[in-house]
């Protein structure tokens, strides 16, 4: 999803083939976030200045888009995860946590702020009933959906910025980094495993290319 031309392609793992689908109907190529709920992909925000509050639903089976109610605040560079029929939207231009009810097309504020605005553009992943959010620098947070609590985690052992997180069982893998070397920024090749049960990190083999 996305890119400079707002493309939508489906990649078939078995046939190793790409299929061109209906283009995204707005500028989604920078700062946008997507999340799957059922047979739909929800597209949140996009290119800053003209679509930073947009919310569209893409129906995978029908290959069609539906514009939903705009987000109640600027969600450019937010993070989002899905839990059952709800989408949790974290960050953006403000430090809010909102829950979007996909059944009733309704936004509900669940938390006022993170207390730390460095998490704009962070990456979130759902593990069990908690959202783990890793932001710019060495900050990590856990948001518990069930009791609406928000705590800071053990600091990330490297300068993690705007890369990828993957949750598998009780572990989260932090892949890549944009780190500062002297006066210049360089791409890293880190691979760390964060254990959600022990709140500890373990360094794994580096990614074999600039990630």
């Amino acid at each position: 999803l996305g890119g400079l031309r707002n493309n939508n392609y489906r990649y078939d793992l078995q046939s190793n083939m790409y299929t061109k689908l209906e283009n995204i109907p707005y500028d989604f190529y920078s700062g946008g976030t997507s999340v799957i709920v059922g047979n739909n992909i929800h597209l949140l925000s996009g290119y800053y200045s003209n679509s930073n509050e947009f919310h569209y639903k893409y129906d995978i089976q029908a290959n069609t888009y539906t514009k939903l109610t705009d987000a109640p605040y600027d969600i450019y560079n937010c993070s989002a995860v899905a839990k059952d029929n709800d989408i949790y939207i974290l960050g953006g231009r403000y430090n809010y946590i909102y829950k979007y009810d996909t059944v009733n097309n309704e936004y509900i504020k669940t938390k006022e702020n993170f207390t730390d605005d460095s998490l704009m553009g962070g990456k979130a992943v759902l593990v069990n009933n908690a959202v783990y959010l890793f932001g710019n620098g060495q900050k990590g947070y856990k948001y518990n959906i069930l009791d609406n609590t928000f705590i800071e985690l053990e600091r990330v052992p490297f300068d993690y910025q705007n890369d990828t997180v993957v949750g598998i069982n009780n572990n989260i893998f932090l892949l890549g980094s944009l780190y500062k070397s002297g006066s210049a920024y360089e791409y890293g090749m880190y691979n760390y495993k964060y254990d959600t049960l022990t709140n500890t990190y373990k360094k794994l083999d580096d990614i074999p290319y600039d990630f």
Side-chain angles (χ1 to χ4, degrees), residues 79 135 198:
S79 298
T198 62

Side-chain angles (χ1 to χ4, degrees), residues 82-103:
K83 171 66 174 174
D84 300 324
N85 291 317
D86 297 322
I87 297 172
Y88 290 84
I89 303 169
L90 302 95
R93 291 285 176 180
Y94 301 95
N95 300 325
Y96 301 144
I97 299 177
Y98 268 81
K99 179 176 75 173
Y100 173 73
D101 184 334
T102 64
V103 176

Side-chain angles (χ1 to χ4, degrees), residues 8-91:
N8 182 357
Y9 276 84
R10 182 180 67 235
Y11 173 70
D12 189 306
L13 291 169
Q14 293 182 341
S15 66
N16 190 30
M17 298 288 292
Y18 293 89
T19 301
K20 179 78 171 65
L21 303 173
E22 189 70 23
N23 276 359
I24 300 169
Y26 74 100
D27 289 338
F28 184 69
Y29 66 82
S30 174
T33 301
S34 62
V35 62
I36 293 177
V37 178
N39 290 318
N40 299 304
I41 300 175
H42 289 256
L43 309 176
L44 299 161
S45 186
Y47 181 64
Y48 181 62
S49 79
N50 70 342
S51 57
N52 52 347
E53 298 171 5
F54 279 7
H55 185 175
Y56 273 78
K57 178 177 70 176
Y58 172 71
D59 187 314
I60 295 171
Q61 295 179 335
N63 189 27
T64 57
Y65 297 87
T66 302
K67 190 177 189 310
L68 303 176
T69 302
D70 286 345
Y73 72 102
D74 185 344
I75 57 173
Y76 177 73
N77 261 348
C78 71
S79 298
V81 299
K83 171 66 174 174
D84 300 324
N85 291 317
D86 297 322
I87 297 172
Y88 290 84
I89 303 169
L90 302 95

Side-chain angles (χ1 to χ4, degrees), residues 143-211:
Y143 172 65
N144 191 313
I145 293 172
L146 299 181
D147 60 12
N148 193 31
T149 58
F150 198 70
I151 62 172
E152 186 169 355
L153 305 175
E154 185 70 23
R155 290 178 68 84
V156 180
F158 64 100
D159 191 4
Y160 181 81
Q161 300 204 23
N162 285 346
D163 280 306
T164 300
V165 293
V166 179
I168 301 176
N169 298 324
N170 292 314
N171 297 311
I172 299 171
F173 296 85
L174 287 75
L175 302 164
S177 179
L178 181 65
Y179 65 95
K180 192 170 186 179
S181 176
S183 61
Y185 284 92
E186 301 177 3
Y187 288 99
M189 299 177 286
Y190 292 132
N191 180 3
Y192 272 80
K193 180 176 71 174
Y194 172 73
D195 188 324
T196 62
L197 300 180
T198 62
N199 190 26
T200 58
Y201 299 86
K202 180 181 179 180
K203 190 177 187 310
L204 305 177
D205 287 346
D206 285 344
I207 301 168
Y209 65 96
D210 286 343
F211 187 74

Side-chain angles (χ1 to χ4, degrees), residues 96-114:
Y96 301 144
I97 299 177
Y98 268 81
K99 179 176 75 173
Y100 173 73
D101 184 334
T102 64
V103 176
N104 298 307
N105 187 28
E106 179 184 13
Y107 296 90
I108 302 167
K109 183 186 285 189
T110 65
K111 197 75 173 176
E112 181 62 27
N113 57 51
F114 296 121

